């Protein structure tokens, strides 16, 4: 054994073990640690976790393990990790208690916000770690249910100064890797010498060199393979190698075969006990004993099973390795599996755990069973309130599989597919639609098949492929289901707006014409009013459509939204509000859309909801919140593999004026959206480039980008904002013709909208094309109107334009007042390019202004500034943590750094020391 590479009890893993020891020491010292152990099955990840726990003397421990058969049961893995500490739940803020209690089924309630659940777990673990350092280990994280995986990844990314170490073990696979972007340690095979030593230590007597070499070659240094492949083989097998001639078999299957050889000598009753334990993924010993009693399995069976070393039955059921569980379960006959699932369903309390009972009943069913299928449908309903759409979809899918009536089975397949679409499981949704398509379908269901295929296409690729499917589906549904037909027309309009200028075939006008030709409802819903307004927009124009659109937006803002309305229509209503220059409606609807997407687990809708919400904060100047939403969107996009362009991130970098990061991202986005036919993405990106270049004073580039973005001004949102950028860029480059044309288009729309935001923007831009008292009057009108709004970036820009005009008029003192206010506002918001523009203008008036640097703000980072401002407003550490998805301890750590950098000792001093912000 190599002394330089060994570790007590673990051969060839000195570096890995030292890393884990350092990790525990850092957590004990108050520096949070996160690590992902990634490697193939049997490589030693679980053994390394045991080493970690062995080094955790003086620490509390929380453990969880993913179970493949439990992947559809929301929050199952998270419950494992948190259950020892749920007695501390009462110490959390009420919203966090409610979220976690509802997620774990401890109390009734509406669907918990996934991110509030994550924050609750972060707060709970932080609370536990206040008493003693906490070591959290999660084995087989690739098998965690989606809700648990997302919550734990959320926590892992936000641990900073808690005395917490969190280590995941993840088996590599061909699928998209879990927990990407976190610190990783790749666990690889042992070296040749260590592998040979380990193999020889596991084989009694002399090993035939040919057998040894073959095992070493097949195992590739995998410790579990080296230990398990030779076990249970006869002397002849060891001598001649006849028992291991399966080099073409995947490693996992060979390991499972090794475990099965060890289980083979056990008495039949012990094997049945192992199978029952394998089918019960929770590890509840008492539940296992009740099921065993029902199956007639005696206590002697447990003794033999434990003696084999394959299983431990103490406070919980624990297999020696996860592959023991899968090997035992997979090797059983279907009849044997059904028998143990039936026993487990019989002994599971229907009041305490009705959903797991339903799941066991479904696995026990010999064939179609309408009673079980109906129970699964009820479980799907409960899943909406506990884990959202993914769990509901799983129950509905199993319900469909157990339905005997072909028509009803097809309908349940379509229901499951719809839930899968919203949950972001588009491949599963497509398979369910294909199954339904093979059944007897009425015309309405046949049209629904077409609709779901179009929705899958639209969710997978926001380009121009979905619209040619949605429009015929809507027409086909008109005589069959008028309500669903109108919903489908609304989807078609959404698809047309996303395709925009890159639409291949019909566009928004063609959809609008079809809507106008379709029958109108007797009692229109909110979505129907929105549909009628948008149809009028693209056929009759902005002025004719505005009253109807305002009515629709008002209904979406004031009335309750169903889940379907929120997911299908809320973003469209929000974009309509932005097009009407209605900032209040835009704010409310983007917030409601995001809340519903989070709470329901609608992962397919969440990236768009996050990006559109981030855009609202860009206009209000809250770039810190926008940045946190962009970060969250990046994480969700990785989880869902969404193809949506990163609208929020592009806009954030542009408003900041960060050309170094913005330009490459803009170029990549343009290439991507053009390839997919996502014209709306191209418009947003060009608007962002125009903002960036106007801020940097690159007016020629701004003019070209704004022209592109404003090419179709009837489209929602950014084309109208781009008109304002086009006026400014046109004036600065001397292209008066372009500026005048853009201003007239802008003014026509803003007069129709009649809002302070719209009229303020138009007045500010019209002033650029005016002179004398007229110009000054327009500048003052712009300031007056925009001061009544929350669009603080535009207010600061209006001050900058007025200050620039005053300086050119020779009124230096008046100019300084406006320019100083603009500079301070831009600086406080982090709108750096425009702040630099204002600084240059101030210098030209003779005033000395420091360039904005990190040092100017006491070396505070953006996050520190945000935390400091919240603290100065009187929020507690716990309240700040809830606002920013951080633990109170991390907030405290940041505040200590803020106090040190600013040289203050109290929150009152902090309030006085912070740079003045625009109110």
């Amino acid at each position: 054994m190599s002394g330089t590479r060994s570790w007590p009890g673990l051969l060839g893993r000195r570096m890995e073990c030292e890393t884990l020891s350092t990790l525990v020491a850092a957590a004990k010292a108050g520096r949070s640690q996160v690590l992902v152990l990634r490697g193939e099955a049997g490589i030693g990840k679980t053994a390394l976790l045991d080493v970690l726990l062995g080094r955790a003397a003086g620490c509390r421990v929380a453990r969880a393990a993913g179970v493949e058969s439990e992947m559809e049961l929301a929050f199952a893995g998270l419950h494992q990790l948190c259950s020892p500490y749920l007695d501390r739940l009462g110490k959390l803020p009420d919203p966090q208690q409610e979220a976690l209690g509802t997620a774990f089924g401890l109390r009734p309630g509406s669907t918990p916000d996934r991110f509030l659940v994550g924050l609750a777990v972060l707060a709970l673990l932080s609370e536990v770690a206040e008493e003693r350092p906490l070591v959290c280990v999660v084995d087989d994280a690739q098998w965690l249910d989606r809700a648990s995986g997302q919550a734990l990844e959320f926590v892992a990314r936000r641990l900073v100064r808690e005395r917490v170490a969190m280590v995941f073990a993840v088996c590599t696979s061909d699928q998209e890797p879990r927990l990407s972007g976190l610190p990783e340690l790749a666990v690889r095979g042992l070296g040749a010498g260590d592998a040979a030593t380990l193999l020889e230590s596991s084989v009694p007597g002399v090993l035939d060199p040919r057998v040894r070499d073959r095992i070493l070659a097949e195992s590739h240094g995998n410790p579990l393979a080296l230990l398990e492949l030779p076990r249970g083989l006869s002397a002849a097998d060891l001598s001649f190698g006849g028992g291991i001639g399966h080099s073409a078999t995947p490693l996992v299957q060979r390991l499972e075969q090794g475990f099965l050889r060890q289980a083979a000598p056990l008495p039949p009753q012990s094997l049945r006990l192992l199978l029952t334990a394998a089918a019960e993924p929770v590890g509840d010993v008492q539940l296992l004993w009740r099921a065993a009693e029902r199956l007639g399995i005696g206590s002697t069976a447990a003794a033999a099973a434990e003696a084999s070393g394959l299983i431990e039955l103490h406070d919980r059921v624990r297999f020696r390795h996860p592959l023991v569980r899968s090997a035992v379960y997979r090797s059983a006959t279907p009849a044997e599996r059904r028998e143990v699932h039936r026993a487990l369903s019989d002994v599971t309390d229907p009041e305490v755990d009705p959903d797991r009972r339903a799941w066991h009943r479904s696995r026990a069913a010999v064939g179609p069973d309408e009673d079980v299928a109906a129970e699964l449908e009820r479980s799907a309903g409960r899943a909406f309130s506990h884990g959202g759409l993914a769990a509901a979809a799983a129950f509905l899918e199993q319900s469909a599989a157990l339905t005997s009536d072909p028509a009803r089975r097809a309908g349940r397949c379509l229901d499951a597919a719809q839930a899968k679409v919203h949950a972001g499981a588009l491949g599963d949704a497509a398979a369910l639609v294909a199954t339904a398509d093979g059944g007897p379908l009425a015309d309405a269901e046949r049209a629904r098949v077409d609709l779901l295929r179009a929705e899958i296409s639209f969710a997978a690729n926001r380009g121009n492929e979905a619209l040619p499917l949605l429009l015929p589906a809507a027409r086909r549904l008109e005589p069959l289901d008028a309500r669903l037909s109108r919903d489908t027309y609304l989807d078609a309009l959404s698809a047309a707006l996303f395709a925009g200028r890159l639409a291949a075939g019909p566009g928004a006008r063609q959809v609008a014409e079809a809507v106008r030709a379709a029958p109108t409802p007797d009692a229109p819903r909110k979505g129907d009013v929105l549909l009628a307004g948008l149809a009028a927009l693209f056929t009759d124009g902005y002025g004719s459509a505005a009253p109807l659109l305002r009515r629709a937006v008002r209904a979406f803002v004031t009335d309750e939204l169903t889940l379907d309305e929120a997911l299908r229509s809320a973003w469209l209503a929000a974009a309509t509000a932005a097009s009407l220059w209605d900032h209040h409606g835009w704010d409310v609807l983007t917030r409601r859309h995001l809340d519903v997407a989070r709470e329901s687990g609608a992962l397919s809708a969440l990236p768009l909801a996050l990006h559109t919400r981030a855009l609202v904060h860009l206009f209000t100047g809250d770039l810190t919140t926008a940045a946190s939403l962009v970060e969250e969107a990046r994480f969700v996009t990785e989880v869902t593999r969404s193809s949506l362009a990163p609208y929020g991130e592009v806009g954030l970098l542009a408003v900041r004026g960060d050309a170094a990061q913005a330009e490459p991202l803009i170029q990549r986005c343009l290439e991507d959206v053009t390839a997919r036919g996502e014209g709306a993405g191209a418009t947003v990106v060009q608007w962002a480039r125009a903002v960036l270049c106007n801020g940097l004073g690159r007016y020629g580039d701004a003019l070209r980008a704004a022209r592109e973005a404003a090419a179709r001004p009837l489209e929602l949102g950014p084309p109208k904002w781009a008109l304002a950028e086009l006026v400014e860029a046109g004036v600065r480059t001397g292209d008066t013709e372009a500026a005048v044309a853009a201003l007239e288009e802008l003014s026509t729309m803003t007069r129709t909208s009649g809002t302070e935001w719209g009229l303020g923007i138009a007045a500010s831009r019209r002033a650029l094309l005016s002179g004398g008292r007229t110009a000054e009057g327009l500048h003052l009108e712009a300031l007056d109107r925009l001061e009544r709004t929350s669009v603080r970036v535009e207010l600061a820009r209006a001050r900058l334009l007025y200050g620039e005009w005053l300086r050119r008029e020779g009124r230096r003192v008046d100019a300084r007042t406006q320019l100083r206010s603009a500079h301070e506002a831009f600086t406080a918001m982090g709108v750096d390019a425009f702040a630099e523009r204002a600084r240059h203008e101030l210098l030209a008036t003779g005033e000395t202004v420091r360039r904005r640097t990190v040092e100017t703000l006491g070396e505070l980072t953006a996050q520190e500034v945000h935390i400091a401002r919240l603290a100065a407003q009187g929020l507690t550490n716990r309240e700040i943590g809830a606002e920013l998805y951080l633990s109170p301890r991390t907030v405290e750590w940041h505040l200590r750094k803020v106090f040190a950098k600013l040289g203050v000792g109290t929150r009152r001093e902090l309030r006085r020391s912070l740079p003045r912000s625009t109110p």
Side-chain angles (χ1 to χ4, degrees):
M1 183 179 296
S2 171
T4 61
R5 301 175 60 204
S6 64
W7 192 265
L10 204 58
L11 179 67
R13 298 296 190 201
R14 174 172 289 278
M15 182 274 290
E16 292 89 343
C17 292
E18 287 177 345
T19 298
L20 295 175
S21 295
T22 302
L23 180 144
V24 172
K28 288 180 177 179
R31 301 189 305 276
S32 301
Q33 301 290 303
V34 175
L35 186 66
V36 178
L37 302 176
R38 200 179 297 278
E40 65 180 8
I43 203 66
K45 303 183 296 298
T46 301
L48 286 169
L49 292 181
D50 290 338
V51 168
L52 171 68
L53 295 175
R55 307 299 297 174
C59 300
R60 294 187 182 277
V61 171
R63 302 189 67 159
V67 179
E68 189 174 12
S69 61
E70 236 185 15
M71 289 181 72
E72 301 295 348
L73 298 179
F75 299 112
L78 194 65
H79 188 265
Q80 287 184 53
L81 190 83
C82 296
S83 58
Y85 304 112
L86 291 180
D87 58 330
R88 292 168 172 79
L89 200 59
K91 296 184 178 181
L92 303 185
D94 290 343
Q96 296 177 23
Q97 288 185 45
E98 183 72 23
L100 206 56
T102 305
F104 292 159
L106 302 177
R107 62 185 67 181
S110 58
T111 308
D113 182 326
R114 294 291 178 97
F115 295 93
L116 190 56
V117 170
L119 180 60
V121 174
L122 177 62
L124 179 65
L125 299 184
S126 180
E127 178 70 34
V128 172
E130 285 293 325
E131 301 171 11
R132 277 193 289 164
L134 176 65
V135 175
C136 303
V137 296
V138 183
D139 204 358
D140 284 314
Q142 76 280 355
W143 284 341
L144 285 173
D145 61 278
R146 181 180 294 185
S148 294
Q150 289 171 350
L152 289 174
E153 185 167 354
F154 176 96
V155 172
R157 293 185 188 278
R158 282 158 179 79
L159 288 170
V160 181
R161 296 297 294 186
E162 296 75 15
R163 296 193 299 169
V164 177
M166 182 171 283
V167 180
F168 301 87
V170 182
C171 188
T172 52
S173 69
D174 294 333
Q175 297 178 350
E176 189 75 18
R178 283 246 180 140
L179 305 168
S180 58
L182 293 175
E184 283 196 11
L185 177 62
V187 185
R188 298 184 173 86
L190 299 174
D194 290 323
T197 300
L198 184 62
L199 176 60
E200 289 166 4
S201 71
S202 68
V203 178
V206 178
L207 183 63
D208 186 305
R210 294 169 298 176
V211 176
R212 181 197 62 198
D213 292 345
R214 191 169 187 177
I215 293 175
L216 289 173
E218 290 179 350
S219 68
H220 300 289
N222 185 293
L224 190 60
L226 292 165
L227 291 170
E228 302 298 342
L229 285 173
R231 269 186 205 179
L233 297 179
S234 66
D237 291 331
L238 289 174
S239 298
F240 303 106
I244 54 172
H246 42 48
S247 59
T249 308
L251 175 63
V252 170
Q253 187 176 345
R254 299 205 303 275
L255 293 174
E256 288 183 344
Q257 289 172 354
F259 287 130
L260 290 175
R261 284 198 299 271
Q262 294 172 57
L266 290 173
Q269 292 291 70
S270 297
L271 290 174
R272 289 179 79 205
L273 182 67
L274 285 178
L275 176 59
T276 307
E280 199 291 293
V282 178
D284 185 333
V285 172
Q286 296 306 316
L287 184 65
L288 176 62
W289 292 139
R290 293 199 301 271
E293 182 180 0
R294 195 167 192 87
L295 290 166
I297 301 172
S299 58
T300 56
E306 286 196 285
S308 72
L310 295 173
I311 196 171
E312 293 179 4
L313 302 171
H314 299 305
D315 57 327
R316 295 185 70 82
V317 178
R318 182 169 294 172
F319 283 93
R320 188 167 93 207
H321 190 278
L323 290 177
V324 178
R325 181 192 297 272
S326 59
V328 169
Y329 190 81
R330 290 175 185 173
S331 67
T333 66
E336 290 169 336
R337 293 179 196 163
R338 289 194 295 270
E339 181 186 38
V340 299
H341 279 296
R342 188 175 300 110
L344 287 165
S345 71
D346 290 343
V347 299
T348 299
D349 190 331
E351 297 297 324
V352 174
D353 204 347
D355 299 335
R356 203 178 304 277
R357 178 177 180 272
W359 197 257
H360 281 307
R361 285 192 72 196
S362 72
R363 293 297 193 225
V366 178
D369 188 319
E370 181 55 33
D371 182 49
V372 176
E375 186 174 349
L376 287 166
E377 274 193 315
R378 291 191 291 274
S379 290
R382 287 188 293 269
F384 278 107
S385 64
H386 284 214
L389 293 160
F395 285 121
L396 288 169
E397 183 177 21
Q398 188 66 12
S399 174
L402 293 177
T403 303
S404 58
D405 179 74
R408 181 174 291 179
R409 182 171 61 250
R412 283 172 170 164
C413 281
L414 293 177
D415 290 340
Q418 186 71 72
K420 293 276 189 182
V421 169
H422 288 313
L426 303 183
D428 293 344
L432 285 162
V433 170
T435 300
D437 198 17
L441 295 174
D443 288 344
E445 277 91 12
R446 184 69 59 192
R448 196 174 167 205
V449 166
D450 295 340
L451 172 59
L452 277 166
R453 283 184 171 140
E455 289 180 348
I456 291 168
S457 173
F458 187 46
N461 180 352
R462 299 273 178 175
N464 54 25
E465 297 176 359
L467 181 55
L469 302 173
L470 285 165
L471 191 53
R475 286 175 172 144
R476 185 173 181 178
L477 282 164
E478 280 182 22
L480 305 170
D481 188 334
R483 182 171 178 150
L484 184 56
S485 172
R486 290 191 295 276
D487 290 343
T488 306
Y489 274 123
L490 202 58
D491 288 343
L493 259 177
S494 295
L497 290 169
F498 264 99
R501 72 183 81 171
L502 300 179
R509 182 174 180 85
Q510 287 73 26
V511 177
E513 289 170 347
V515 171
R516 299 291 290 270
T520 56
D522 295 329
R525 301 163 294 158
K526 292 186 288 293
D528 297 329
V529 178
L530 179 61
L531 178 64
L534 291 172
L537 175 67
F538 290 104
T539 52
D540 299 338
Y542 190 90
S544 298
L548 202 52
L549 291 174
R550 275 196 290 267
R551 178 182 154 201
V553 168
R554 188 163 51 250
F556 272 91
V557 167
T558 58
D559 296 351
E560 288 296 318
L561 300 182
T562 67
L563 178 63
D564 185 66
E565 284 175 335
L567 297 180
R568 169 173 272 122
S569 314
W571 83 266
L572 202 53
T576 301
S579 297
L580 292 169
W581 303 91
D582 175 3
H583 190 271
H584 172 70
W586 191 32
D587 177 36
V588 170
L589 290 173
T590 53
R591 185 171 62 248
R592 294 182 79 178
H593 184 214
L594 178 57
D595 288 346
V596 171
R598 282 173 169 168
E599 291 167 5
S600 67
L603 295 183
S604 61
L606 192 50
L608 178 62
L610 288 164
H611 283 300
T612 51
R613 184 64 185 159
L615 289 176
V616 174
H617 288 293
L618 295 184
F619 277 83
T620 63
D622 188 356
L623 271 59
T624 304
T625 300
S628 70
L629 291 166
V630 165
E631 180 184 351
E632 186 181 329
R634 192 181 298 120
F635 161 60
V636 173
T637 297
E638 290 173 2
V639 171
T640 61
R641 294 187 285 278
S642 169
S643 62
L644 186 71
Y647 300 129
E649 184 173 7
V650 172
L652 175 64
L653 294 173
V655 172
R656 279 178 177 165
D658 187 348
Q661 293 192 64
E663 291 287 13
L665 181 60
I666 285 171
Q667 190 56 43
R668 289 197 303 273
C669 286
L670 282 175
E671 292 171 358
D672 174 53
V673 298
T674 301
R676 290 189 290 105
E678 186 182 328
T683 298
V684 173
V685 169
Q686 293 289 14
W687 161 76
R689 175 177 272 168
V691 172
L692 173 70
C693 294
N694 270 334
L696 294 170
R698 290 164 36 192
Y699 300 114
D701 292 337
L703 181 69
R704 286 185 287 275
R707 270 191 172 130
E708 286 287 323
R712 294 191 173 196
L714 283 182
E715 292 180 356
L716 302 185
K720 297 167 182 61
W721 312 333
L723 288 170
E725 303 302 328
L726 182 53
V727 174
E728 183 172 352
V731 169
R732 299 305 188 208
T733 58
D735 192 340
T736 306
E737 183 179 351
V740 168
L743 177 64
E744 290 313 306
E745 188 89 49
L746 175 67
S747 297
T748 298
M749 293 185 187
T750 56
R751 280 196 301 270
T752 300
S753 77
T755 68
E756 300 291 359
W757 178 20
L759 293 172
I761 294 291
S764 177
R765 298 315 190 266
R766 185 172 292 280
L768 297 177
L769 287 161
S770 303
R773 291 182 179 179
T774 301
E776 183 160 23
L778 288 165
H779 280 302
L780 291 172
E781 179 190 345
L783 294 180
D784 180 59
R785 291 187 181 280
L786 292 172
E787 280 173 345
R788 300 176 201 166
T789 75
S790 56
V791 286
R792 295 316 198 196
V793 172
E794 284 298 338
L795 174 59
R797 287 183 68 177
R799 290 194 187 281
L800 173 60
L801 294 176
Y802 184 28
E804 289 173 336
W805 180 84
L806 287 168
R807 187 184 69 77
R808 285 164 177 75
E809 291 291 304
R811 295 164 58 182
R812 289 190 170 192
V813 175
D814 293 338
R816 284 173 191 162
T817 301
Q818 298 300 327
L819 293 170
R820 192 182 302 116
S821 294
H823 181 262
E824 289 175 354
F826 287 135
T827 299
M829 292 184 291
V831 183
D832 295 343
F834 283 101
E836 185 65 7
R837 234 178 86 179
R839 190 182 76 88
H840 277 293
E841 289 290 327
L842 274 169
L843 290 174
T845 68
E847 181 161 317
T848 301
V849 187
R850 296 178 64 187
R851 182 187 298 273
R852 182 183 187 273
T853 64
V854 177
E855 288 75 21
T856 308
L857 297 180
E859 296 184 350
L860 300 186
T861 66
Q863 186 174 49
E864 288 167 353
V865 170
H866 198 178
I867 289 172
R869 291 200 186 286
L870 293 175
Q873 292 168 18
L875 274 67
T876 66
N877 289 358
R878 191 180 292 275
E879 289 168 339
I880 295 170
E883 180 82 14
L884 302 183
Y885 296 124
L886 298 171
S887 75
R889 188 181 181 92
T890 294
V891 172
E892 180 186 357
W893 176 70
H894 280 299
L895 279 175
R896 283 201 301 267
K897 291 171 64 181
V898 168
F899 279 31
K901 289 179 179 181
L902 296 181
V904 299
T906 67
R907 294 195 179 205
R908 180 175 294 179
E909 293 174 351
L910 173 65
R911 193 176 298 114
R912 290 197 299 264
S913 300
L914 287 174
R916 186 158 59 89
S917 174
T918 304

